[in-house]
């Protein structure tokens, strides 16, 4: 994968060609994948107020006039990493208390109401606009995905934290793409074995 392609990972490109998460969960998946720890920091799509504003606008999470501050960026990134920790915990491990605390705190101030459309369908809608509304929407998606049972399939890669949707029957997928992280893990184990003294 060249740099141009790597920069598209998480938006236009999914590692291993996996389909994205279904329905609204795709938005939360894209949020988690707005940054990957294997890539340079400046590639973070919400890493500065300008970048965050353009990403959130593109996703219709904020209105054109909404301003994003440095503090907002810090808050969004903290929430992203906390929800990523929950997604990694979907691999069958316990999430850390710090992660659940961050998500709980975000949920405490997230105001959502049930909206009804013309044919009677319901949807959770954020009450405030701006970054508060964006946070509320993302928390709402997390909640909905837990109701539909889709949430446990959104997993953080054990190697790089990339959020992928596990469609396998027995929910056994561990890495974002076997060809990238799976092999990297195996290679590391291989070199470890080679380095360890033989008797
Ligand atoms: Zn990975």
């Amino acid at each position: 994968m060249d740099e141009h392609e790597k920069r598209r990972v998480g938006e236009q490109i999914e590692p291993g060609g996996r389909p994205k998460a279904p329905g609204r969960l795709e938005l939360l998946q894209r949020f988690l994948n707005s940054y990957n720890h294997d890539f340079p920091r400046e590639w973070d799509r919400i890493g500065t107020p300008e970048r965050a504003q353009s990403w959130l606008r593109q996703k219709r999470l904020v209105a054109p006039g909404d301003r994003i501050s440095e503090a907002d960026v810090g808050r969004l990134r903290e929430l992203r990493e906390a929800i990523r920790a929950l997604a990694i915990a979907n691999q069958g491990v316990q999430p850390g208390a710090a992660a659940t605390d961050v998500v709980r705190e975000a949920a405490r101030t997230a105001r959502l109401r049930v909206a009804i459309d013309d044919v009677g369908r319901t949807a959770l809608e954020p009450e405030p606009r701006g970054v508060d509304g964006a946070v509320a929407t993302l928390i709402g998606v997390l909640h909905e995905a837990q109701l539909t049972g889709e949430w446990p399939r959104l997993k953080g890669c054990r190697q790089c934290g990339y959020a992928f949707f596990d469609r396998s029957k027995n929910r056994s997928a561990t890495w974002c793409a076997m060809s990238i992280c799976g092999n990297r893990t195996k290679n590391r184990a291989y070199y470890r074995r080679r380095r360890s003294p033989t008797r």
Side-chain angles (χ1 to χ4, degrees), residues 150-165:
E150 282 159 352
W151 170 249
R153 288 187 185 271
L154 191 75
K155 295 179 178 176
C157 173
R158 280 209 172 165
Q159 182 72 24
C160 72
Y162 190 91
F164 64 92
F165 193 75

Side-chain angles (χ1 to χ4, degrees), residues 55-129:
W55 190 88
L56 292 166
R57 274 200 61 185
Q58 196 200 341
K59 302 292 181 281
R60 297 175 192 277
L61 285 168
V62 295
D66 291 334
R67 309 303 303 173
I68 314 291
S69 67
E70 283 287 351
D72 292 331
V73 167
R75 206 173 127 206
L76 287 165
R77 291 174 66 187
E78 190 184 35
L79 178 64
R80 180 183 63 194
E81 298 317 313
I83 299 179
R84 188 192 312 285
L86 300 188
I88 292 170
N90 282 340
Q91 302 262 17
V93 294
Q94 189 79 18
T100 45
D101 280 351
V102 167
V103 181
R104 190 178 294 124
E105 181 58 26
R108 204 174 57 78
T109 50
R111 282 190 294 142
L112 292 158
R113 65 187 187 92
V114 179
I116 315 283
D117 75 3
D118 292 342
V119 290
R121 279 179 310 212
T122 61
L124 284 180
E125 255 180 21
E127 278 262 296
R129 295 303 312 170

